[in-house]
Amino acid sequence: MDFPPWQTVYGWFKRWKERGVTERILGELREQIRWAEGRDAEPSAGVIDSQSVKAADTVSRGTRGYDADKKINGRKRFIVIDALGLLVSVTVLAASWQDRDGARTALLSVYLCTPIRLVFADQGFGGRLLDWAARTLSMVIDIVRKPPEQRGFVVHRKRWVVERTPAWLTAHRRLARDYERDPDVSEELIRWAAINQMLRRIARGKPAARQQRRTLQQARAAAL
């Protein structure tokens, strides 16, 4: 398959980014899926999470950092999604940013563009962020904590919806790590990945389902 010259492709990519076309496409697709699921067009609650990814050599020192917790040198993606796992907002910062500090930009974008005033988060977003959100944005951040008796991995309904979204995004080869000099370009590529995921969901008419792993006996039976 032939593609136009890269200057043409990047030119349109840049124009659409500057004019907010990509964000409008994202919003329209999210509304379509929500209507199809019997929900209101605009979400009233969201879930926030962060993902640290390694940065390629093309990423300058000024826009990258070291996440001591994940032991990753690169960038950190802050995403806010709705109850269906659909992207609402994305912010890309250096990986050295703490969750409670880096989340402010993402939450401010959510406040300005959506009616979301309730956001679920994990314990990394606790502390002074809760007071800031309540005072500045009139937004409630509900920290979903692990039960004291929990041992090992347990799926939490209010958290799992956002835990799977980064996995969907990083299935796109360009997002497996951060290659972009400009964090704004990284954010735009994440929006395009989310658009791709939404279009596939609309075409299927339902969310993607993980294929069940077959046992050896089942595989042999199916081959006969």
Side-chain angles (χ1 to χ4, degrees):
M1 181 178 181
D2 294 330
F3 291 95
W6 73 265
Q7 296 91 338
T8 302
V9 176
Y10 180 73
W12 282 105
F13 175 87
K14 185 177 180 181
R15 291 189 191 100
W16 283 21
K17 174 181 174 296
E18 292 173 347
R19 297 175 183 176
V21 174
T22 313
E23 293 193 49
R24 292 200 295 274
I25 294 174
L26 189 68
E28 289 291 336
L29 293 176
R30 188 173 60 245
E31 286 187 11
Q32 287 187 34
I33 295 174
R34 290 183 60 84
W35 277 116
E37 295 284 339
R39 296 174 179 266
D40 293 336
E42 289 287 350
S44 58
V47 190
I48 189 171
D49 198 11
S50 66
Q51 178 192 35
S52 294
V53 293
K54 294 181 179 179
D57 294 339
T58 51
V59 177
S60 64
R61 292 184 179 181
T63 61
R64 68 195 295 163
Y66 184 70
D67 184 341
D69 184 37
K70 302 291 179 61
K71 296 180 174 56
I72 289 177
N73 187 332
R75 286 179 174 156
K76 184 175 286 189
R77 301 163 178 168
F78 293 88
I79 62 170
V80 179
I81 54 96
D82 68 359
L84 300 178
L86 307 177
L87 185 68
V88 175
S89 171
V90 58
T91 301
V92 176
L93 300 170
S96 53
W97 280 77
Q98 296 291 325
D99 286 353
R100 60 179 177 271
D101 297 324
R104 296 189 180 194
T105 304
L107 292 175
L108 181 59
S109 177
V110 169
Y111 172 79
L112 293 174
C113 302
T114 74
I116 292 176
R117 295 298 179 266
L118 171 63
V119 176
F120 296 99
D122 64 21
Q123 299 178 65
F125 293 90
R128 58 177 178 266
L129 177 64
L130 278 65
D131 295 332
W132 175 85
R135 182 178 64 255
T136 308
L137 307 179
S138 299
M139 184 179 291
V140 176
I141 300 180
D142 187 350
I143 302 298
V144 181
R145 303 183 184 278
K146 296 180 180 179
E149 68 278 4
Q150 177 180 324
R151 296 294 182 271
F153 175 77
V154 176
V155 174
H156 296 278
R157 182 174 58 85
K158 294 180 181 178
R159 291 288 309 155
W160 180 245
V161 67
V162 75
E163 299 288 352
R164 63 186 181 178
T165 303
W168 291 344
L169 296 176
T170 51
H172 296 76
R173 181 171 55 86
R174 189 67 176 266
L175 299 180
R177 64 171 58 198
D178 201 317
Y179 298 93
E180 312 309 320
R181 296 181 183 276
D182 187 350
D184 289 345
V185 175
S186 296
E187 295 173 2
E188 194 73 353
L189 289 174
I190 291 172
R191 293 187 187 99
W192 277 111
I195 288 171
N196 179 59
Q197 179 253 324
M198 290 182 185
L199 288 173
R200 288 172 178 267
R201 184 165 177 168
I202 291 173
R204 286 191 305 265
K206 61 181 180 179
R210 181 179 293 274
Q211 194 172 29
Q212 295 295 322
R213 181 179 298 178
R214 290 184 176 183
T215 64
L216 180 59
Q217 290 79 6
Q218 290 173 331
R220 287 175 176 173
L224 295 177

